[in-house]
Amino acid sequence: GESVGLHLPTLSVQEGDNSIINCAYSNSASDYFIWYKQESGKGPQFIIDIRSNMDKRQGQRVTVLLNKTVKHLSLQIAATQPGDSAVYFCAEMNYGGSQGNLIFGKGTKLSVKP
Amino acid sequence: KAGVTQTPRYLIKTRGQQVTLSCSPISGHRSVSWYQQTPGQGLQFLFEYFSETQRNKGNFPGRFSGRQFSNSRSEMNVSTLELGDSALYLCASSFRDRGTEAFFGQGTRLTVV
């Protein structure tokens, strides 16, 4: 079946560096993508989303890039801080679909070294 | 504005028992979804409710059930617990049922022994 996958299960970066977390999706019908951050002991927290009519969307210190040609999604975190240490999930769905159609990837653990 | 509240936070049950988990969505949110999170399978969708109606159901056995009340609060029940049901159960609420940001609670950590 179709699923969302992540290229790297773990990522270690130095404080102050930029982080890039990648995600591959295979469902060509997906047109809405979300990045979530999950800290230890907490539920996933919405970071940023993007619809398929956009290639790039920026938030506070975060940027999501969408490459529909190769079905690739990335999350860039600028000036990574220790508080960014968490597991990051990408998720995909059809925007017209219900929340039950949201498919999550396995997650990438980001560790920030001081 | 209070976030999504899940109770209890932690639970230990014995195989064969049943369990009920509760979720209070953000005030005004009418959609509630439930997910099971395990290290091996990641986040898996259980079911979704909107205005007291189950709109979608994931690929879980009938031992997993849920409901939503008129105040949008939701409960999920697992009967005849198995060791493999040990997981973090997450509830998410959203204002509408389609294409909107979902806010997650902190989850209920269920351990089956």
Side-chain angles (χ1 to χ4, degrees):
Chain A
E2 296 179 306
S3 63
V4 175
L6 291 165
H7 293 304
L8 297 173
T10 59
L11 178 65
S12 184
V13 299
Q14 202 71 36
E15 181 179 359
D17 288 350
N18 296 333
S19 303
I20 300 176
I21 302 172
N22 296 304
C23 175
Y25 67 95
S26 57
N27 187 350
S28 56
S30 294
D31 58 5
Y32 182 53
F33 306 89
I34 309 172
W35 280 100
Y36 284 92
K37 170 187 180 183
Q38 187 174 22
E39 297 174 271
S40 180
K42 298 183 178 180
Q45 177 187 0
F46 174 94
I47 301 173
I48 191 167
D49 60 357
I50 188 168
R51 294 191 64 180
S52 60
N53 59 354
M54 301 174 70
D55 296 323
K56 178 180 179 179
R57 191 167 188 215
Q58 287 184 296
Q60 186 176 15
R61 283 201 307 119
V62 295
T63 301
V64 55
L65 298 177
L66 176 62
N67 186 329
K68 295 180 287 293
T69 303
V70 295
K71 296 177 186 166
H72 185 267
L73 193 68
S74 69
L75 177 70
Q76 300 179 359
I77 304 174
T80 313
Q81 303 169 358
D84 295 327
S85 294
V87 176
Y88 290 81
F89 296 93
C90 63
E92 62 171 312
M93 70 180 288
N94 183 300
Y95 188 76
S98 67
Q99 292 295 339
N101 294 334
L102 195 59
I103 301 171
F104 286 87
K106 294 294 186 184
T108 293
K109 183 176 181 180
L110 175 65
S111 295
V112 182
K113 296 177 289 185
Chain B
K1 193 175 190 180
V4 178
T5 304
Q6 290 188 247
T7 56
R9 286 293 310 280
Y10 303 93
L11 206 50
I12 299 176
K13 287 287 188 178
T14 305
R15 271 183 304 174
Q17 287 185 311
Q18 67 91 27
V19 67
T20 299
L21 311 181
S22 180
C23 172
S24 293
I26 292 173
S27 178
H29 284 194
R30 296 163 63 192
S31 175
V32 173
S33 297
W34 289 89
Y35 296 84
Q36 181 195 66
Q37 186 176 33
T38 60
Q41 299 298 319
L43 272 159
Q44 296 189 91
F45 170 74
L46 280 157
F47 21 68
E48 176 195 4
Y49 289 88
F50 182 79
S51 295
E52 301 180 66
T53 301
Q54 186 180 91
R55 296 187 64 96
N56 216 334
K57 191 177 191 303
N59 189 25
F60 278 82
R63 300 185 296 107
F64 291 80
S65 62
R67 58 179 175 169
Q68 186 180 33
F69 301 95
S70 58
N71 61 358
S72 294
R73 190 177 71 85
S74 178
E75 290 181 346
M76 67 162 281
N77 184 278
V78 188
S79 62
T80 319
L81 283 165
E82 300 176 1
L83 295 179
D85 297 333
S86 295
L88 179 67
Y89 289 87
L90 290 160
C91 166
S93 78
S94 57
F95 179 66
R96 292 193 304 269
D97 64 328
R98 295 182 183 278
T100 55
E101 177 184 344
F103 294 85
F104 283 84
Q106 291 190 296
T108 293
R109 172 73 63 185
L110 172 65
T111 302
V112 182
V113 297

